Amino acid sequence: MDNNQPAPTAEALMRSRYTAYTLQREDYLLATWHPSTRPAALGLAEDVATKWLGLEVKRHEQTDTDHAIVEFIARYKVNGRAHRLHEISKFVREDGRWFYLDGALD
């Protein structure tokens, strides 16, 4: 995540982004988010009640050379209550780097 090496696959980027969420590394999340869909900020510093519990990658599909889909389930707790986030994320590769584009919640 900090070695400045681009993730070799969209799945590897997805996993590093999950780790960044657990560490509240908003800088990394924004840097790996495609500029066309990137928000100005995520506000993770205010979100101290979230405790991330685990990530399960259900599917990684490279649709062509520079596009991929990663389906995952992330489990977390907020104020002691368990939640799960099931998302199908789209990734794009530009200049040899993968970026998170967007995702659809299931």
Side-chain angles (χ1 to χ4, degrees):
M1 188 165 71
D2 284 320
N3 62 7
N4 207 21
Q5 294 292 320
T9 65
E11 180 180 351
L13 180 60
M14 167 56 236
R15 290 180 182 280
S16 72
R17 286 175 54 81
Y18 171 80
T19 299
Y21 271 104
T22 69
L23 299 172
Q24 294 189 323
R25 288 283 314 275
E26 187 165 332
D27 60 331
Y28 180 80
L29 292 164
L30 293 173
T32 58
W33 204 312
H34 194 269
S36 69
T37 58
R38 179 188 308 138
L42 298 174
L44 295 183
E46 297 87 46
D47 195 19
V48 293
T50 301
K51 180 179 176 173
W52 293 95
L53 304 173
L55 174 70
E56 177 186 356
V57 174
K58 305 290 277 179
R59 172 174 60 115
H60 172 230
E61 178 183 328
Q62 192 152 337
T63 55
D64 65 30
T65 306
D66 294 322
H67 295 88
I69 295 168
V70 178
E71 179 180 3
F72 69 91
I73 297 173
R75 290 178 171 45
Y76 62 100
K77 282 188 177 181
V78 176
N79 297 321
R81 184 162 181 228
H83 299 272
R84 66 194 285 272
L85 172 71
H86 183 188
E87 182 174 307
I88 299 172
S89 301
K90 291 188 278 183
F91 293 83
V92 63
R93 182 168 46 191
E94 291 182 354
D95 298 323
R97 287 193 175 268
W98 284 102
F99 292 93
Y100 172 77
L101 191 58
D102 62 22
L105 299 177
D106 187 28

